[in-house]
Short mmCIF file of all heavy atoms in Angstrom, two decimals:
data_model
loop_
_atom_site.label_atom_id
_atom_site.label_comp_id
_atom_site.label_asym_id
_atom_site.label_seq_id
_atom_site.Cartn_x
_atom_site.Cartn_y
_atom_site.Cartn_z
N VAL A 28 -26.64 46.41 237.99
CA VAL A 28 -26.75 47.78 237.56
C VAL A 28 -25.69 48.62 238.23
O VAL A 28 -25.12 49.50 237.56
CB VAL A 28 -28.16 48.31 237.84
CG1 VAL A 28 -28.22 49.81 237.59
CG2 VAL A 28 -29.22 47.62 237.03
N GLN A 29 -25.40 48.38 239.47
CA GLN A 29 -24.35 49.18 240.16
C GLN A 29 -23.00 49.01 239.48
O GLN A 29 -22.28 49.99 239.30
CB GLN A 29 -24.26 48.71 241.63
CG GLN A 29 -25.48 48.97 242.46
CD GLN A 29 -25.74 50.45 242.66
OE1 GLN A 29 -24.88 51.31 242.48
NE2 GLN A 29 -26.93 50.78 243.03
N GLU A 30 -22.67 47.77 239.05
CA GLU A 30 -21.42 47.57 238.35
C GLU A 30 -21.39 48.28 236.98
O GLU A 30 -20.38 48.84 236.62
CB GLU A 30 -21.18 46.07 238.16
CG GLU A 30 -20.81 45.35 239.44
CD GLU A 30 -20.55 43.86 239.26
OE1 GLU A 30 -20.04 43.50 238.14
OE2 GLU A 30 -20.83 43.12 240.14
N LEU A 31 -22.49 48.20 236.27
CA LEU A 31 -22.59 48.88 235.00
C LEU A 31 -22.43 50.39 235.17
O LEU A 31 -21.78 51.07 234.41
CB LEU A 31 -23.92 48.59 234.32
CG LEU A 31 -24.09 47.21 233.75
CD1 LEU A 31 -25.55 47.01 233.30
CD2 LEU A 31 -23.14 46.93 232.61
N ALA A 32 -23.08 50.93 236.19
CA ALA A 32 -23.07 52.36 236.45
C ALA A 32 -21.68 52.87 236.77
O ALA A 32 -21.37 54.02 236.50
CB ALA A 32 -24.03 52.74 237.53
N ALA A 33 -20.88 52.02 237.34
CA ALA A 33 -19.52 52.47 237.77
C ALA A 33 -18.61 52.78 236.57
O ALA A 33 -17.73 53.61 236.68
CB ALA A 33 -18.90 51.40 238.63
N SER A 34 -18.86 52.12 235.44
CA SER A 34 -17.89 52.28 234.36
C SER A 34 -18.52 52.58 232.97
O SER A 34 -17.80 52.53 231.99
CB SER A 34 -17.04 51.00 234.25
OG SER A 34 -17.88 49.89 233.96
N ASN A 35 -19.78 52.88 232.96
CA ASN A 35 -20.44 53.16 231.66
C ASN A 35 -21.30 54.43 231.73
O ASN A 35 -21.69 54.87 232.82
CB ASN A 35 -21.35 51.98 231.27
CG ASN A 35 -20.55 50.73 230.98
OD1 ASN A 35 -19.89 50.64 229.97
ND2 ASN A 35 -20.62 49.78 231.88
N TRP A 36 -21.64 54.93 230.59
CA TRP A 36 -22.53 56.08 230.45
C TRP A 36 -23.79 55.58 229.77
O TRP A 36 -23.70 54.66 228.93
CB TRP A 36 -21.85 57.23 229.68
CG TRP A 36 -20.72 57.82 230.46
CD1 TRP A 36 -19.43 57.39 230.46
CD2 TRP A 36 -20.80 58.87 231.39
NE1 TRP A 36 -18.69 58.16 231.30
CE2 TRP A 36 -19.53 59.08 231.90
CE3 TRP A 36 -21.86 59.67 231.87
CZ2 TRP A 36 -19.25 60.06 232.86
CZ3 TRP A 36 -21.58 60.65 232.78
CH2 TRP A 36 -20.30 60.85 233.28
N PHE A 37 -24.93 56.27 230.01
CA PHE A 37 -26.20 55.81 229.49
C PHE A 37 -27.01 56.94 228.92
O PHE A 37 -26.95 58.06 229.43
CB PHE A 37 -27.01 55.13 230.59
CG PHE A 37 -26.35 53.95 231.18
CD1 PHE A 37 -25.45 54.10 232.25
CD2 PHE A 37 -26.56 52.70 230.71
CE1 PHE A 37 -24.80 53.03 232.81
CE2 PHE A 37 -25.93 51.59 231.27
CZ PHE A 37 -25.04 51.75 232.31
N THR A 38 -27.81 56.64 227.92
CA THR A 38 -28.83 57.58 227.47
C THR A 38 -30.05 57.36 228.32
O THR A 38 -30.23 56.28 228.91
CB THR A 38 -29.18 57.39 226.00
OG1 THR A 38 -29.80 56.08 225.83
CG2 THR A 38 -27.96 57.51 225.09
N VAL A 39 -30.94 58.33 228.34
CA VAL A 39 -32.17 58.18 229.11
C VAL A 39 -33.00 57.03 228.49
O VAL A 39 -33.62 56.27 229.24
CB VAL A 39 -32.98 59.49 229.11
CG1 VAL A 39 -34.37 59.27 229.67
CG2 VAL A 39 -32.23 60.55 229.91
N ALA A 40 -32.99 56.86 227.22
CA ALA A 40 -33.70 55.79 226.58
C ALA A 40 -33.23 54.42 227.06
O ALA A 40 -34.05 53.51 227.30
CB ALA A 40 -33.58 55.84 225.05
N GLN A 41 -31.92 54.29 227.25
CA GLN A 41 -31.39 53.02 227.79
C GLN A 41 -31.82 52.80 229.22
O GLN A 41 -32.14 51.69 229.62
CB GLN A 41 -29.84 53.04 227.72
CG GLN A 41 -29.32 52.95 226.30
CD GLN A 41 -27.84 53.13 226.25
OE1 GLN A 41 -27.29 54.07 226.86
NE2 GLN A 41 -27.16 52.28 225.49
N VAL A 42 -31.86 53.88 230.00
CA VAL A 42 -32.29 53.78 231.40
C VAL A 42 -33.76 53.33 231.45
O VAL A 42 -34.12 52.41 232.19
CB VAL A 42 -32.13 55.13 232.14
CG1 VAL A 42 -32.77 55.03 233.53
CG2 VAL A 42 -30.67 55.49 232.26
N VAL A 43 -34.59 53.91 230.61
CA VAL A 43 -35.98 53.51 230.58
C VAL A 43 -36.15 52.05 230.18
O VAL A 43 -36.95 51.33 230.74
CB VAL A 43 -36.81 54.47 229.65
CG1 VAL A 43 -38.25 53.95 229.46
CG2 VAL A 43 -36.79 55.87 230.21
N THR A 44 -35.39 51.62 229.22
CA THR A 44 -35.44 50.20 228.79
C THR A 44 -35.06 49.28 229.94
O THR A 44 -35.72 48.27 230.18
CB THR A 44 -34.50 49.96 227.60
OG1 THR A 44 -34.93 50.80 226.50
CG2 THR A 44 -34.49 48.52 227.16
N LEU A 45 -34.01 49.63 230.64
CA LEU A 45 -33.61 48.81 231.81
C LEU A 45 -34.69 48.84 232.90
O LEU A 45 -35.00 47.79 233.49
CB LEU A 45 -32.29 49.32 232.41
CG LEU A 45 -31.04 49.01 231.60
CD1 LEU A 45 -29.86 49.79 232.13
CD2 LEU A 45 -30.75 47.53 231.62
N MET A 46 -35.27 49.97 233.15
CA MET A 46 -36.33 50.09 234.13
C MET A 46 -37.51 49.20 233.76
O MET A 46 -38.04 48.51 234.65
CB MET A 46 -36.81 51.53 234.27
CG MET A 46 -35.78 52.48 234.91
SD MET A 46 -36.29 54.19 234.77
CE MET A 46 -37.83 54.20 235.66
N LYS A 47 -37.91 49.26 232.51
CA LYS A 47 -39.11 48.48 232.10
C LYS A 47 -38.85 46.98 232.13
O LYS A 47 -39.81 46.21 232.16
CB LYS A 47 -39.53 48.91 230.69
CG LYS A 47 -40.18 50.28 230.69
CD LYS A 47 -40.66 50.67 229.29
CE LYS A 47 -41.41 51.99 229.34
NZ LYS A 47 -41.89 52.36 228.00
N SER A 48 -37.59 46.57 232.15
CA SER A 48 -37.28 45.16 232.22
C SER A 48 -37.42 44.63 233.65
O SER A 48 -37.39 43.42 233.87
CB SER A 48 -35.84 44.89 231.71
OG SER A 48 -34.90 45.33 232.61
N CYS A 49 -37.60 45.54 234.61
CA CYS A 49 -37.77 45.16 236.01
C CYS A 49 -39.23 44.94 236.35
O CYS A 49 -40.08 45.74 235.93
CB CYS A 49 -37.16 46.22 236.93
SG CYS A 49 -35.41 46.52 236.65
N THR A 50 -39.52 43.93 237.12
CA THR A 50 -40.89 43.62 237.53
C THR A 50 -41.42 44.57 238.59
O THR A 50 -42.56 45.02 238.52
CB THR A 50 -40.94 42.16 238.00
OG1 THR A 50 -40.44 41.29 237.01
CG2 THR A 50 -42.36 41.78 238.35
N TYR A 51 -40.57 44.85 239.56
CA TYR A 51 -41.03 45.63 240.71
C TYR A 51 -40.70 47.13 240.56
O TYR A 51 -39.64 47.50 240.12
CB TYR A 51 -40.37 45.09 242.00
CG TYR A 51 -40.77 43.65 242.23
CD1 TYR A 51 -39.83 42.63 242.02
CD2 TYR A 51 -42.04 43.31 242.62
CE1 TYR A 51 -40.14 41.30 242.21
CE2 TYR A 51 -42.39 41.98 242.84
CZ TYR A 51 -41.44 40.97 242.64
OH TYR A 51 -41.77 39.66 242.84
N GLU A 52 -41.67 47.93 241.01
CA GLU A 52 -41.54 49.37 240.95
C GLU A 52 -40.34 49.88 241.77
O GLU A 52 -39.64 50.77 241.35
CB GLU A 52 -42.85 49.99 241.38
CG GLU A 52 -43.03 51.41 240.92
CD GLU A 52 -43.48 51.52 239.46
OE1 GLU A 52 -43.58 50.51 238.71
OE2 GLU A 52 -43.71 52.67 239.05
N ASP A 53 -40.12 49.28 242.92
CA ASP A 53 -38.98 49.68 243.78
C ASP A 53 -37.67 49.46 243.07
O ASP A 53 -36.74 50.23 243.17
CB ASP A 53 -39.01 48.91 245.11
CG ASP A 53 -40.08 49.36 246.04
OD1 ASP A 53 -40.64 50.49 245.83
OD2 ASP A 53 -40.39 48.65 247.02
N THR A 54 -37.58 48.38 242.31
CA THR A 54 -36.38 48.08 241.56
C THR A 54 -36.17 49.10 240.44
O THR A 54 -35.07 49.54 240.13
CB THR A 54 -36.40 46.66 240.96
OG1 THR A 54 -36.69 45.76 242.03
CG2 THR A 54 -35.10 46.31 240.29
N ARG A 55 -37.27 49.53 239.83
CA ARG A 55 -37.19 50.55 238.77
C ARG A 55 -36.64 51.84 239.34
O ARG A 55 -35.84 52.53 238.71
CB ARG A 55 -38.57 50.79 238.17
CG ARG A 55 -39.06 49.61 237.34
CD ARG A 55 -40.45 49.82 236.83
NE ARG A 55 -40.91 48.66 236.10
CZ ARG A 55 -41.97 48.62 235.33
NH1 ARG A 55 -42.70 49.70 235.19
NH2 ARG A 55 -42.31 47.50 234.73
N ILE A 56 -37.09 52.19 240.56
CA ILE A 56 -36.59 53.40 241.22
C ILE A 56 -35.11 53.25 241.46
O ILE A 56 -34.33 54.18 241.23
CB ILE A 56 -37.37 53.63 242.53
CG1 ILE A 56 -38.84 53.98 242.23
CG2 ILE A 56 -36.72 54.74 243.34
CD1 ILE A 56 -39.75 53.94 243.44
N ASP A 57 -34.70 52.09 241.97
CA ASP A 57 -33.26 51.84 242.24
C ASP A 57 -32.42 51.98 240.99
O ASP A 57 -31.34 52.57 241.03
CB ASP A 57 -33.09 50.43 242.84
CG ASP A 57 -33.65 50.28 244.24
OD1 ASP A 57 -33.88 51.30 244.92
OD2 ASP A 57 -33.88 49.11 244.66
N VAL A 58 -32.91 51.45 239.88
CA VAL A 58 -32.14 51.55 238.62
C VAL A 58 -32.03 52.98 238.18
O VAL A 58 -30.92 53.44 237.85
CB VAL A 58 -32.91 50.70 237.53
CG1 VAL A 58 -32.34 51.01 236.13
CG2 VAL A 58 -32.76 49.21 237.80
N ALA A 59 -33.11 53.72 238.19
CA ALA A 59 -33.07 55.13 237.77
C ALA A 59 -32.13 55.93 238.65
O ALA A 59 -31.33 56.74 238.19
CB ALA A 59 -34.47 55.73 237.77
N ALA A 60 -32.22 55.70 239.98
CA ALA A 60 -31.39 56.45 240.92
C ALA A 60 -29.91 56.12 240.74
O ALA A 60 -29.04 56.99 240.76
CB ALA A 60 -31.82 56.18 242.34
N ALA A 61 -29.60 54.85 240.48
CA ALA A 61 -28.20 54.42 240.30
C ALA A 61 -27.61 54.99 239.03
O ALA A 61 -26.41 55.35 239.00
CB ALA A 61 -28.11 52.92 240.30
N LEU A 62 -28.42 55.10 237.97
CA LEU A 62 -27.89 55.54 236.68
C LEU A 62 -27.96 57.02 236.44
O LEU A 62 -27.30 57.54 235.54
CB LEU A 62 -28.61 54.78 235.56
CG LEU A 62 -28.46 53.26 235.60
CD1 LEU A 62 -29.21 52.63 234.43
CD2 LEU A 62 -26.98 52.85 235.57
N TYR A 63 -28.70 57.71 237.27
CA TYR A 63 -28.87 59.15 237.11
C TYR A 63 -27.53 59.91 236.95
O TYR A 63 -27.39 60.74 236.06
CB TYR A 63 -29.67 59.73 238.26
CG TYR A 63 -29.84 61.23 238.22
CD1 TYR A 63 -30.69 61.80 237.32
CD2 TYR A 63 -29.14 62.04 239.09
CE1 TYR A 63 -30.87 63.19 237.24
CE2 TYR A 63 -29.27 63.44 239.07
CZ TYR A 63 -30.15 63.98 238.12
OH TYR A 63 -30.29 65.33 238.07
N PRO A 64 -26.53 59.63 237.80
CA PRO A 64 -25.26 60.39 237.63
C PRO A 64 -24.47 60.03 236.37
O PRO A 64 -23.52 60.72 236.01
CB PRO A 64 -24.43 59.96 238.87
CG PRO A 64 -25.37 59.27 239.79
CD PRO A 64 -26.52 58.75 238.95
N ARG A 65 -24.91 58.99 235.66
CA ARG A 65 -24.17 58.52 234.48
C ARG A 65 -24.91 58.79 233.17
O ARG A 65 -24.69 58.13 232.15
CB ARG A 65 -23.89 57.03 234.61
CG ARG A 65 -23.19 56.64 235.91
CD ARG A 65 -21.80 57.18 236.02
NE ARG A 65 -20.95 56.58 235.01
CZ ARG A 65 -19.69 56.89 234.86
NH1 ARG A 65 -19.11 57.80 235.61
NH2 ARG A 65 -18.93 56.29 233.96
N ILE A 66 -25.80 59.74 233.19
CA ILE A 66 -26.65 60.07 232.01
C ILE A 66 -25.91 61.05 231.09
O ILE A 66 -25.37 62.03 231.54
CB ILE A 66 -27.96 60.69 232.48
CG1 ILE A 66 -28.76 59.74 233.33
CG2 ILE A 66 -28.80 61.20 231.31
CD1 ILE A 66 -29.15 58.45 232.62
N VAL A 67 -25.93 60.73 229.79
CA VAL A 67 -25.25 61.62 228.81
C VAL A 67 -26.21 62.65 228.24
O VAL A 67 -25.73 63.61 227.62
CB VAL A 67 -24.61 60.78 227.65
CG1 VAL A 67 -23.53 59.88 228.16
CG2 VAL A 67 -25.68 60.01 226.88
N ASP A 68 -27.47 62.48 228.43
CA ASP A 68 -28.45 63.45 227.90
C ASP A 68 -29.42 63.89 228.99
O ASP A 68 -30.63 63.60 228.93
CB ASP A 68 -29.18 62.87 226.71
CG ASP A 68 -29.87 61.53 226.98
OD1 ASP A 68 -29.58 60.87 228.00
OD2 ASP A 68 -30.74 61.14 226.19
N PRO A 69 -28.91 64.61 230.01
CA PRO A 69 -29.78 64.97 231.16
C PRO A 69 -30.99 65.84 230.77
O PRO A 69 -31.98 65.87 231.49
CB PRO A 69 -28.83 65.71 232.07
CG PRO A 69 -27.69 66.13 231.22
CD PRO A 69 -27.59 65.12 230.12
N GLU A 70 -30.94 66.48 229.60
CA GLU A 70 -32.07 67.29 229.17
C GLU A 70 -33.29 66.43 228.87
O GLU A 70 -34.39 66.92 228.81
CB GLU A 70 -31.69 68.13 227.94
CG GLU A 70 -31.42 67.34 226.68
CD GLU A 70 -30.02 66.77 226.54
OE1 GLU A 70 -29.21 66.89 227.47
OE2 GLU A 70 -29.72 66.17 225.50
N ASN A 71 -33.06 65.13 228.73
CA ASN A 71 -34.17 64.21 228.44
C ASN A 71 -34.61 63.39 229.68
O ASN A 71 -35.41 62.48 229.56
CB ASN A 71 -33.76 63.20 227.34
CG ASN A 71 -33.57 63.89 226.01
OD1 ASN A 71 -34.25 64.84 225.69
ND2 ASN A 71 -32.56 63.45 225.27
N TRP A 72 -34.12 63.76 230.83
CA TRP A 72 -34.39 63.01 232.05
C TRP A 72 -35.89 62.85 232.30
O TRP A 72 -36.34 61.87 232.84
CB TRP A 72 -33.66 63.63 233.26
CG TRP A 72 -33.88 62.85 234.50
CD1 TRP A 72 -34.60 63.23 235.58
CD2 TRP A 72 -33.34 61.55 234.80
NE1 TRP A 72 -34.58 62.25 236.56
CE2 TRP A 72 -33.78 61.20 236.07
CE3 TRP A 72 -32.52 60.68 234.10
CZ2 TRP A 72 -33.46 59.98 236.68
CZ3 TRP A 72 -32.22 59.47 234.73
CH2 TRP A 72 -32.67 59.13 235.97
N TYR A 73 -36.65 63.84 231.93
CA TYR A 73 -38.11 63.76 232.12
C TYR A 73 -38.74 62.52 231.52
O TYR A 73 -39.78 62.02 231.95
CB TYR A 73 -38.82 65.03 231.56
CG TYR A 73 -38.77 65.10 230.08
CD1 TYR A 73 -39.85 64.63 229.31
CD2 TYR A 73 -37.67 65.63 229.39
CE1 TYR A 73 -39.81 64.69 227.90
CE2 TYR A 73 -37.64 65.68 228.02
CZ TYR A 73 -38.71 65.21 227.28
OH TYR A 73 -38.66 65.26 225.89
N LEU A 74 -38.10 61.93 230.52
CA LEU A 74 -38.58 60.70 229.86
C LEU A 74 -38.53 59.50 230.78
O LEU A 74 -39.20 58.48 230.49
CB LEU A 74 -37.80 60.44 228.56
CG LEU A 74 -37.97 61.50 227.47
CD1 LEU A 74 -37.02 61.25 226.31
CD2 LEU A 74 -39.41 61.55 226.99
N VAL A 75 -37.76 59.59 231.86
CA VAL A 75 -37.70 58.47 232.80
C VAL A 75 -39.07 58.21 233.40
O VAL A 75 -39.38 57.04 233.76
CB VAL A 75 -36.64 58.80 233.91
CG1 VAL A 75 -36.77 57.87 235.10
CG2 VAL A 75 -35.25 58.69 233.31
N ASN A 76 -39.92 59.17 233.45
CA ASN A 76 -41.27 58.96 233.95
C ASN A 76 -42.01 57.87 233.19
O ASN A 76 -42.92 57.25 233.74
CB ASN A 76 -42.05 60.28 233.94
CG ASN A 76 -41.52 61.27 234.95
OD1 ASN A 76 -40.97 60.92 235.98
ND2 ASN A 76 -41.68 62.55 234.66
N ASP A 77 -41.65 57.69 231.91
CA ASP A 77 -42.29 56.67 231.12
C ASP A 77 -41.97 55.25 231.63
O ASP A 77 -42.70 54.30 231.28
CB ASP A 77 -41.82 56.75 229.65
CG ASP A 77 -42.32 58.01 228.99
OD1 ASP A 77 -43.24 58.67 229.48
OD2 ASP A 77 -41.69 58.39 227.96
N GLY A 78 -40.96 55.12 232.43
CA GLY A 78 -40.57 53.81 232.97
C GLY A 78 -41.30 53.41 234.21
O GLY A 78 -41.11 52.30 234.72
N PHE A 79 -42.17 54.29 234.71
CA PHE A 79 -42.91 53.98 235.95
C PHE A 79 -44.37 53.70 235.66
O PHE A 79 -44.97 54.25 234.76
CB PHE A 79 -42.82 55.16 236.93
CG PHE A 79 -41.42 55.37 237.48
CD1 PHE A 79 -40.78 56.55 237.19
CD2 PHE A 79 -40.83 54.42 238.25
CE1 PHE A 79 -39.52 56.78 237.71
CE2 PHE A 79 -39.56 54.63 238.75
CZ PHE A 79 -38.88 55.80 238.48
N THR A 80 -44.91 52.84 236.50
CA THR A 80 -46.36 52.52 236.45
C THR A 80 -47.12 53.47 237.32
O THR A 80 -48.22 53.86 236.96
CB THR A 80 -46.57 51.09 236.90
OG1 THR A 80 -45.79 50.17 236.10
CG2 THR A 80 -48.05 50.68 236.78
N TYR A 81 -46.58 53.83 238.46
CA TYR A 81 -47.29 54.61 239.49
C TYR A 81 -46.68 56.01 239.63
O TYR A 81 -45.47 56.15 239.63
CB TYR A 81 -47.28 53.89 240.85
CG TYR A 81 -47.79 52.50 240.74
CD1 TYR A 81 -46.96 51.43 240.86
CD2 TYR A 81 -49.16 52.24 240.54
CE1 TYR A 81 -47.41 50.11 240.77
CE2 TYR A 81 -49.63 50.96 240.45
CZ TYR A 81 -48.76 49.90 240.57
OH TYR A 81 -49.22 48.59 240.45
N SER A 82 -47.52 57.00 239.78
CA SER A 82 -47.04 58.35 239.96
C SER A 82 -46.30 58.51 241.30
O SER A 82 -45.39 59.34 241.38
CB SER A 82 -48.17 59.34 239.88
OG SER A 82 -49.14 59.12 240.88
N SER A 83 -46.63 57.74 242.28
CA SER A 83 -45.90 57.79 243.56
C SER A 83 -44.42 57.40 243.37
O SER A 83 -43.58 57.90 244.12
CB SER A 83 -46.56 56.88 244.61
OG SER A 83 -46.55 55.53 244.16
N SER A 84 -44.16 56.58 242.41
CA SER A 84 -42.75 56.19 242.14
C SER A 84 -41.95 57.38 241.62
O SER A 84 -40.78 57.55 241.95
CB SER A 84 -42.70 55.03 241.14
OG SER A 84 -43.37 53.93 241.64
N LYS A 85 -42.57 58.22 240.81
CA LYS A 85 -41.94 59.39 240.32
C LYS A 85 -41.56 60.35 241.46
O LYS A 85 -40.44 60.86 241.52
CB LYS A 85 -42.85 60.14 239.36
CG LYS A 85 -43.25 59.33 238.13
CD LYS A 85 -44.33 59.99 237.34
CE LYS A 85 -44.94 59.05 236.32
NZ LYS A 85 -46.07 59.66 235.61
N LYS A 86 -42.44 60.46 242.39
CA LYS A 86 -42.20 61.30 243.57
C LYS A 86 -41.09 60.69 244.42
O LYS A 86 -40.17 61.43 244.86
CB LYS A 86 -43.47 61.43 244.43
CG LYS A 86 -43.29 62.28 245.65
CD LYS A 86 -44.54 62.33 246.47
CE LYS A 86 -44.25 63.18 247.70
NZ LYS A 86 -45.12 62.88 248.80
N THR A 87 -41.10 59.41 244.62
CA THR A 87 -40.05 58.73 245.38
C THR A 87 -38.70 58.94 244.78
O THR A 87 -37.69 59.19 245.47
CB THR A 87 -40.37 57.23 245.53
OG1 THR A 87 -41.65 57.08 246.18
CG2 THR A 87 -39.30 56.53 246.32
N LEU A 88 -38.61 58.81 243.45
CA LEU A 88 -37.32 59.01 242.77
C LEU A 88 -36.87 60.44 242.91
O LEU A 88 -35.71 60.67 243.21
CB LEU A 88 -37.47 58.66 241.28
CG LEU A 88 -36.18 58.92 240.45
CD1 LEU A 88 -35.04 58.07 240.94
CD2 LEU A 88 -36.46 58.68 238.97
N ARG A 89 -37.73 61.40 242.74
CA ARG A 89 -37.37 62.86 242.93
C ARG A 89 -36.80 63.05 244.34
O ARG A 89 -35.79 63.74 244.50
CB ARG A 89 -38.54 63.74 242.64
CG ARG A 89 -38.85 63.95 241.21
CD ARG A 89 -39.82 65.09 240.91
NE ARG A 89 -41.04 64.96 241.71
CZ ARG A 89 -42.15 64.32 241.33
NH1 ARG A 89 -42.13 63.71 240.15
NH2 ARG A 89 -43.22 64.29 242.10
N GLU A 90 -37.43 62.49 245.34
CA GLU A 90 -36.95 62.62 246.70
C GLU A 90 -35.56 61.94 246.89
O GLU A 90 -34.72 62.56 247.54
CB GLU A 90 -37.97 62.00 247.66
CG GLU A 90 -39.25 62.77 247.81
CD GLU A 90 -40.34 62.05 248.57
OE1 GLU A 90 -40.14 60.84 248.97
OE2 GLU A 90 -41.41 62.67 248.80
N ARG A 91 -35.37 60.79 246.31
CA ARG A 91 -34.08 60.13 246.43
C ARG A 91 -32.98 60.91 245.76
O ARG A 91 -31.80 60.87 246.20
CB ARG A 91 -34.13 58.71 245.83
CG ARG A 91 -34.78 57.75 246.78
CD ARG A 91 -34.66 56.31 246.43
NE ARG A 91 -33.35 55.86 246.14
CZ ARG A 91 -33.08 54.62 245.68
NH1 ARG A 91 -34.03 53.78 245.47
NH2 ARG A 91 -31.84 54.28 245.45
N LEU A 92 -33.33 61.65 244.71
CA LEU A 92 -32.32 62.40 243.98
C LEU A 92 -32.18 63.84 244.56
O LEU A 92 -31.40 64.62 244.05
CB LEU A 92 -32.67 62.47 242.52
CG LEU A 92 -32.70 61.15 241.75
CD1 LEU A 92 -33.15 61.35 240.31
CD2 LEU A 92 -31.33 60.46 241.81
N GLY A 93 -32.98 64.15 245.53
CA GLY A 93 -32.92 65.48 246.15
C GLY A 93 -33.50 66.56 245.28
O GLY A 93 -33.06 67.70 245.33
N GLN A 94 -34.48 66.24 244.52
CA GLN A 94 -35.10 67.20 243.62
C GLN A 94 -36.50 67.64 244.11
O GLN A 94 -37.20 66.93 244.67
CB GLN A 94 -35.25 66.61 242.21
CG GLN A 94 -33.94 66.27 241.59
CD GLN A 94 -34.10 65.59 240.22
OE1 GLN A 94 -35.20 65.20 239.83
NE2 GLN A 94 -33.02 65.47 239.53
#
C-alpha cells in the first residue's frame, strides 16, 4: 500500500475496498492512514467508516490523522 500511495491517487470507494480486503482492523487503519493524503474526493472521506468493524478503530484513525 505504501508503494501504491506514493504514485497513485484513490477514490474513497477504492480505499474502503482495500480496507475490507484486510483481515485485521489494525491493518485497515494503516491502509486508510496511508492513503488519506492521496484521496481525490475528500468530501466523501466519511465513507471510510464503512471499512471498519469496530467504532474504536474510527477513533484511532482520527487520532492518527490529527482530527
Side-chain angles (χ1 to χ4, degrees):
V28 172
Q29 296 292 343
E30 287 182 33
L31 289 172
S34 59
N35 294 288
W36 292 89
F37 300 87
T38 65
V39 170
Q41 290 172 314
V42 173
V43 172
T44 299
L45 286 170
M46 290 169 62
K47 287 183 176 181
S48 73
C49 300
T50 304
Y51 299 107
E52 200 78 355
D53 287 343
T54 307
R55 292 177 182 192
I56 294 167
D57 291 341
V58 167
L62 299 181
Y63 177 74
R65 307 295 292 178
I66 297 299
V67 296
D68 56 344
E70 67 277 4
N71 294 325
W72 183 249
Y73 69 95
L74 296 172
V75 166
N76 291 331
D77 294 340
F79 292 117
T80 304
Y81 306 107
S82 60
S83 61
S84 299
K85 299 170 193 176
K86 180 182 178 205
T87 301
L88 177 61
R89 283 193 306 271
E90 289 170 355
R91 282 192 51 186
L92 297 177
Q94 299 177 348

